[in-house]
């Protein structure tokens, strides 16, 4: 409207029109946003979406790469699964230290710059994780195989008068020289501390990034934008697991050892890949993700369509309303002490929302199931289906994770297309979760037999099943060899049995070198020429078809369950007051990571450890990593714990759905009661809907006449 027309209107209309025209200018001329005549491209919401998506990609890549290296770290540092769970949970410990304060105070400060600082800390922590490789000695594994190609001397793994293995770095059962130094130095501590630093740095990315989008995007686009960002965060693990697959094929000390002297392959339980290399790559990518956020403004101009929606009468109502009279005032510098005093009352108000509280309880239980399952799924594929670490990571990256990404994206599209209400989103999320749960029950039927290992799962004659934890490996056929029972150096006999070592197979002579070594005169191999070859016997042919069924069902269930991810996330945002979005998201992340992210990998790992049949021994004494598991018990424990937790969560889901329905109906009654006539009720309802969209989390003060019964938003 031209400015000369303002003089022809009434004073009341002048006030309305001037307020409507000056507001965008005021927003655009704020110190953070700069002049409106030339809005820089970096201040647009799309630029922030690109930057946040890249940050999500970087943090998801490094996080998934961490999970892809759990077996590598377990073997390299010779530690049990529960300790790997402690290392994995240290990321959540870092979140726990700062997330509540970052989410609350960060919403009132410059959110993009806080996210940039977080990305820098993530990068530093990722580099710290790789540090042990450069200060620890070369990796040494147990072997009785001659490593020199030019060697022609006959090697006897089991000489009659020998008490130990003839060769190998762990030939002696007594602590070797240098143990006093190594026993004081636990290199996995660096991985633990680096992962904590990663957790601290990741803290502001999710709550501040999502709330920033929801504050500045139109309501019909918010779910779609968040779905896109969440999809990118799921694509990150694709590259993380692929990177883990590539690095797992490369020997840990590549470039420092003669590869011809390495007598093990990536499929061997002693193989350790170049785990450190992926952390250097992930750290560099995370460092690059911090750059764009330094050039983004604290806040963006209000979308033009938000202001165009208001008629002059409604604009007058907004300005005159006591509930919203301070809504569009410019930000004033907040006193830190006042913000701190307001923290506990605000948190009490948030937890007083029954819908939010029940949602929190449900996600805590389901995250326990999800985090425990994802952390040990590559290891489950390795141990149960006889796949190498490289192949397990590759399958996770190219099959499982894309299904999750497609499900997350499809969930956002469905919510946008069908304009799901808060009740529709809740029902959709519950339905997809239930369907995926029932399909997951079929995993129990997709089992494979245990590996046939003499003295552990089978008797030495191969006829009797044993399954005795840490049972003796000595028998009459190898009694004269006086073999150590801790050195895992498997060989495959002609009879199809795997023996713990050539010595325990009773082999007297050998010829060849490296992986081509053949052991002869093996007294425990009672068939054929009494020979044995290097490595475990490949008894997984009968399990190949079952493994294909497992992969297919895993893809289907992952897609179905992830369909409800975005609607469930929007339910979290819409069930609380707009100004509490950042705190609600931050506290949700805090509690789920404290009560799920930290304990789940630890107790999942501890339960998996109970299925171990034979433990290794560290060079300097003490229990090391597990050498062989009871795969049947492993499957029951792993799947039973995963699905048992999800079963418990459904009871709370049903209760939450009932409470949500009551709140929606109560809000509808209160809306019509406060509005008087039907038209007035519709006007008020529309106004409240727009208020939810345009209210910035640090611009909307709490009102005196606020009714907690009306927190649920449609």
């Amino acid at each position: 409207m031209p400015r000369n027309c303002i003089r022809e209107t009434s004073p009341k209309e002048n006030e309305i029109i001037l307020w409507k025209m000056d507001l965008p200018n005021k927003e655009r001329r704020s110190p953070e946003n700069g002049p409106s005549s030339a809005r820089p491209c970096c201040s647009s919401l799309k630029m922030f979406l690109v930057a946040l998506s890249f940050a999500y990609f970087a943090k998801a890549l490094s996080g998934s790469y961490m999970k892809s290296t759990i077996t590598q770290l377990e073997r390299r540092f010779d530690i049990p699964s529960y300790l790997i769970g402690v290392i994995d949970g240290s990321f959540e410990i870092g979140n726990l230290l700062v997330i509540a304060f970052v989410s609350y105070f960060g919403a009132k400060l410059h959110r993009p710059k806080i996210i940039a600082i977080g990305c820098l800390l993530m990068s530093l922590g990722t580099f710290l994780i790789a540090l042990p490789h450069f200060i620890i000695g070369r990796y040494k594994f147990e072997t009785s195989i001659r490593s020199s190609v030019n060697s022609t001397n006959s090697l006897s793994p089991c000489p009659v008068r020998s008490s130990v293995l003839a060769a190998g770095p762990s030939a002696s059962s007594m602590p070797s020289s240098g143990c006093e130094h190594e026993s004081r130095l636990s290199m996995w501590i660096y991985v633990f501390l680096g992962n904590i630093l990663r957790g601290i740095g990741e803290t502001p990315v999710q709550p501040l990034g999502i709330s920033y989008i929801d504050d500045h995007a139109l309501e019909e686009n918010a779910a779609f934008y968040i779905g896109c960002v969440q999809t990118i965060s799921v694509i990150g693990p694709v590259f993380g697991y692929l990177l883990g697959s590539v690095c797992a094929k490369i020997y840990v000390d590549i470039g420092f050892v003669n590869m011809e002297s390495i007598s093990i392959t990536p499929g061997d339980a002693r193989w350790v890949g170049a785990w450190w290399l992926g952390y250097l790559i992930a750290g560099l990518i995370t460092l690059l993700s911090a750059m764009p956020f330094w050039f983004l403004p604290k806040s963006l101009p209000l979308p033009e369509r938000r202001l165009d929606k208001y008629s002059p009468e409604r604009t007058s109502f907004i300005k005159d309303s006591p509930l919203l009279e301070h809504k569009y005032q410019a930000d004033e510098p907040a006193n830190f002490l006042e913000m701190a005093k307001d923290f506990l009352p605000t948190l009490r108000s948030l937890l007083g929302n029954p819908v939010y509280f029940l949602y929190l309880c449900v996600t805590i239980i389901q995250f326990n199931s999800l985090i425990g399952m994802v952390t040990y799924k590559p290891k489950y594929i390795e141990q149960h289906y006889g796949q190498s670490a490289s192949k397990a990571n590759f399958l996770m990256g190219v099959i499982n994770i894309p299904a999750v990404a497609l499900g997350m994206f499809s969930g956002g599209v469905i919510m946008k297309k069908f304009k799901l209400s808060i009740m529709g989103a809740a029902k959709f999320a519950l339905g997809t979760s239930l369907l995926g749960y029932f399909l997951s029950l079929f995993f129990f039927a997709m089992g494979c037999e245990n590996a046939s290992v003499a003295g552990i799962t089978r008797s030495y004659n191969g006829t009797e099943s044993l399954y005795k934890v840490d049972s003796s490996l000595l028998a009459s056929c190898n009694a004269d060899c006086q073999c150590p029972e801790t050195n895992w150096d498997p060989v495959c006999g002609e009879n199809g049995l795997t023996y713990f070592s050539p010595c325990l197979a009773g082999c007297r002579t050998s010829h060849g070198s490296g992986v081509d070594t053949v052991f002869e005169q093996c007294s425990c191999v009672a068939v054929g020429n009494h020979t044995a070859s290097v490595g475990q016997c490949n008894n997984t042919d009968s399990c190949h078809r079952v493994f294909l069924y497992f992969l297919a069902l895993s893809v289907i269930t992952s897609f179905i369950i992830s369909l409800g991810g975005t609607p469930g996330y929007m339910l979290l945002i819409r069930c609380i007051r707009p100004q509490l979005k950042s705190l609600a998201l931050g506290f949700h992340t805090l509690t789920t990571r404290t009560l799920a992210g930290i304990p789940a990998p630890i107790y999942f790992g501890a339960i998996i450890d109970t299925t171990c049949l034979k433990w290794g021994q560290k060079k300097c004494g003490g229990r090391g990593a597990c050498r062989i598991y009871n795969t049947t018990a492993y499957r029951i424990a792993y799947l039973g714990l995963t699905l048992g937790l999800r079963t418990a969560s459904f009871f709370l889901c049903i209760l939450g759905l009932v409470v949500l329905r009551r709140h929606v109906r109560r809000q509808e009654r209160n809306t019509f009661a406060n509005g008087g006539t039907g038209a007035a009720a519709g006007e008020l309802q529309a106004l409240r809907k727009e208020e939810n969209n345009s209210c910035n989390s640090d611009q909307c003060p709490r009102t005196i006449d606020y009714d907690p019964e009306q927190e649920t938003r449609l």
Side-chain angles (χ1 to χ4, degrees):
M1 177 180 293
R3 286 191 177 270
N4 56 8
C5 295
I6 298 177
R7 297 174 182 174
E8 302 173 6
T9 57
S10 64
K12 186 66 176 178
E13 290 173 337
N14 287 343
E15 183 181 7
I16 294 170
I17 296 170
L18 285 173
W19 176 81
K20 189 175 179 181
M21 296 177 63
D22 289 341
L23 176 59
N25 294 332
K26 185 175 182 179
E27 288 289 333
R28 287 193 284 264
R29 290 187 175 93
S30 61
E32 296 84 5
N33 299 331
S36 61
S37 58
R39 182 188 301 173
C41 61
C42 65
S43 66
S44 68
L45 181 60
K46 291 183 179 179
M47 189 65 185
F48 181 83
L49 283 171
V50 172
L52 186 65
S53 297
F54 188 45
Y56 262 68
F57 172 82
K59 76 182 185 68
L61 184 146
S62 58
S64 59
Y65 183 77
M66 162 64 75
K67 295 187 182 300
S68 74
T69 59
I70 60 170
T71 54
Q72 310 294 309
L73 297 175
E74 189 173 327
R75 296 168 186 171
R76 184 64 183 94
F77 300 112
D78 214 8
I79 53 180
S81 294
Y82 85 90
L83 199 51
I84 285 292
V86 173
I87 294 175
D88 188 75
S90 62
F91 178 85
E92 321 300 341
I93 294 176
N95 271 263
L96 173 63
L97 295 176
V98 296
I99 193 168
F101 299 99
V102 167
S103 300
Y104 182 72
F105 296 114
K108 304 175 184 300
L109 303 174
H110 199 299
R111 285 179 283 187
K113 288 187 178 180
I114 294 178
I115 295 175
I117 294 173
C119 290
L120 292 177
L121 292 177
M122 275 197 294
S123 176
L124 181 60
T126 307
F127 288 135
L128 181 60
I129 293 175
L131 181 62
H133 172 75
F134 301 98
I135 58 179
I136 198 174
R138 301 287 172 254
Y139 175 57
K140 298 178 181 178
F141 53 90
E142 307 117 338
T143 183
S144 58
I145 300 172
R146 183 170 52 246
S147 61
S148 174
V149 177
N150 298 323
S151 176
T152 58
N153 296 329
S154 177
L155 178 66
S156 178
C158 176
V160 176
R161 298 182 62 83
S162 175
S163 59
V164 296
L165 292 177
S170 297
S172 176
S173 60
M174 299 295 293
S176 60
S177 60
C179 278
E180 293 182 1
H181 174 70
E182 288 195 9
S183 63
R184 295 195 304 265
L185 191 61
S186 298
M187 288 296 172
W188 62 267
I189 294 295
Y190 290 95
V191 182
F192 179 83
L193 295 177
N195 214 27
I196 288 181
L197 192 57
R198 277 189 58 244
I200 294 175
E202 192 267 351
T203 302
V205 177
Q206 178 176 336
L208 300 187
I210 295 298
S211 64
Y212 193 93
I213 293 174
D214 196 62
D215 286 342
H216 299 99
L218 295 172
E219 182 182 10
E220 60 266 26
N221 294 331
F224 179 73
Y225 289 157
I226 293 175
C228 290
V229 173
Q230 297 285 4
T231 301
I232 296 297
S233 71
V234 182
I235 292 177
V238 174
F239 291 89
Y241 279 108
L242 289 179
L243 180 62
S245 176
V246 172
C247 293
K249 290 182 180 179
I250 305 172
Y251 187 65
V252 60
D253 292 323
I254 185 71
F256 297 95
V257 297
N258 180 11
M259 292 305 297
E260 293 182 354
S261 66
I262 305 302
S263 58
I264 57 177
T265 62
D268 196 288
R270 294 163 292 173
W271 176 271
V272 176
W275 59 273
W276 53 273
L277 181 60
Y279 286 111
L280 296 181
I281 297 174
L284 180 60
I285 294 174
T286 308
L287 182 62
L288 294 176
S289 70
M291 303 303 177
F293 291 103
W294 295 106
F295 306 101
L296 288 165
K298 180 179 179 181
S299 61
L300 300 175
L302 290 175
E304 301 268 342
R305 288 175 58 189
R306 282 190 177 177
L307 295 176
D308 293 341
K309 287 182 184 179
Y310 297 115
S311 63
E313 292 79 6
R314 185 178 298 174
T315 305
S316 177
F317 177 80
I318 292 174
K319 188 170 183 358
D320 296 337
S321 173
L323 296 177
L324 304 173
E325 60 182 354
H326 300 293
K327 178 177 177 182
Y328 293 107
Q329 289 182 359
D331 291 340
E332 295 181 0
N335 183 276
F336 185 84
L337 184 59
E338 293 178 357
M339 293 162 56
K341 289 180 179 179
D342 195 44
F343 176 72
L344 288 180
T346 306
L347 181 61
R348 190 182 305 113
S349 173
L350 178 65
L351 295 179
N353 186 333
V355 178
Y356 177 81
F357 183 77
L358 285 172
Y359 182 92
L360 197 62
C361 295
V362 168
T363 51
I364 287 173
I365 299 175
Q366 290 190 344
F367 272 48
N368 270 274
S369 174
L370 177 65
I371 292 172
M373 182 270 292
V374 171
T375 300
Y376 293 100
K377 190 170 185 177
K379 183 174 181 177
Y380 177 77
I381 294 175
E382 291 178 50
Q383 297 296 330
H384 198 75
Y385 297 103
Q387 306 297 323
S388 66
S390 176
K391 188 174 182 179
N393 291 329
F394 178 79
L395 292 174
M396 285 286 291
V398 302
I399 296 179
N400 211 110
I401 303 301
V404 176
L406 182 60
M408 296 286 288
F409 180 78
S410 300
V413 172
I414 290 173
M415 189 169 184
K416 175 180 173 63
K417 182 175 181 180
F418 295 97
K419 296 181 173 59
L420 296 180
S421 64
I422 190 171
M423 279 300 302
K427 292 178 180 178
F428 183 77
L430 178 59
T432 55
S433 184
L434 279 171
L435 180 57
Y437 169 80
F438 288 121
L439 289 176
S440 298
L441 295 176
F442 289 100
F443 284 126
F444 283 103
M446 299 178 181
C448 295
E449 296 182 358
N450 285 279
S452 298
V453 181
I456 299 179
T457 61
R458 292 287 188 275
S459 60
Y460 272 86
N461 58 19
T463 59
E464 182 183 356
S465 298
L466 298 178
Y467 304 109
K468 296 179 180 179
V469 179
D470 283 332
S471 60
S472 175
L473 298 175
L474 299 179
S476 58
C477 62
N478 58 29
D480 293 338
C481 295
Q482 302 181 22
C483 305
E485 299 182 52
T486 59
N487 294 335
W488 174 249
D489 186 19
V491 294
C492 178
E494 282 185 283
N495 55 359
L497 276 179
T498 298
Y499 296 89
F500 209 77
S501 68
C503 182
L504 288 168
C507 302
R508 305 288 179 176
T509 62
S510 68
H511 69 270
S513 62
V515 295
D516 298 323
T517 302
V518 177
F519 299 93
E520 300 172 331
Q521 301 180 25
C522 302
S523 58
C524 293
V525 183
V527 297
N529 296 323
H530 307 284
T531 61
S533 57
V534 175
Q536 287 184 254
C537 296
N538 185 11
N539 298 325
T540 60
D541 293 340
S542 60
C543 196
H544 180 69
R545 180 175 297 179
V546 177
F547 180 55
L548 294 179
Y549 292 151
F550 169 83
L551 290 179
L553 185 60
S554 179
V555 170
I556 295 172
T557 54
S558 298
F559 173 77
I560 292 175
I561 294 175
S562 60
L563 275 174
T566 301
Y569 210 81
M570 294 308 299
L571 171 63
L572 169 63
I573 294 176
R574 298 304 181 196
C575 74
I576 43 88
R577 286 184 289 157
Q579 63 266 36
L580 297 181
K581 280 197 296 284
S582 291
L583 180 61
L585 291 169
F587 190 77
H588 173 265
T589 306
L590 167 69
T591 52
T592 52
R593 288 179 171 174
T594 303
L595 302 179
I598 296 175
I602 298 175
Y603 67 75
F604 263 81
I607 291 176
I608 290 173
D609 284 340
T610 62
T611 66
C612 182
L613 293 174
K614 191 66 178 179
W615 290 95
Q617 184 175 349
K618 294 182 179 180
K619 183 173 63 175
C620 301
R623 193 172 77 172
C626 182
R627 298 307 184 189
I628 185 170
Y629 290 90
N630 183 341
T631 55
T632 302
Y634 193 143
R635 181 177 76 254
I636 295 174
Y638 174 76
L639 296 178
L641 187 56
T642 299
L643 296 179
L645 289 168
R646 288 175 60 187
T647 302
S649 70
F650 288 133
F651 293 101
L652 288 177
C653 282
I654 296 173
L655 178 60
L657 202 62
V658 172
V659 173
L660 180 61
R661 186 188 299 274
R662 290 179 179 177
H663 272 252
V664 170
R665 290 177 178 175
R666 185 181 298 113
Q667 182 185 10
E668 291 175 352
R669 290 195 300 267
N670 291 340
T671 299
F672 284 99
N674 294 334
T677 64
E683 180 85 356
L684 183 58
Q685 186 175 7
L687 173 61
R688 288 179 176 174
K689 188 175 182 180
E690 289 164 359
E691 176 195 353
N692 292 343
N693 268 338
S694 57
C695 182
N696 189 290
S697 60
D698 56 356
Q699 291 177 334
C700 297
R702 291 178 294 126
T703 57
I704 299 176
D705 55 348
Y706 163 70
D707 183 5
E709 296 290 338
Q710 299 182 25
E711 284 185 348
T712 304
R713 306 281 176 177
L714 287 175

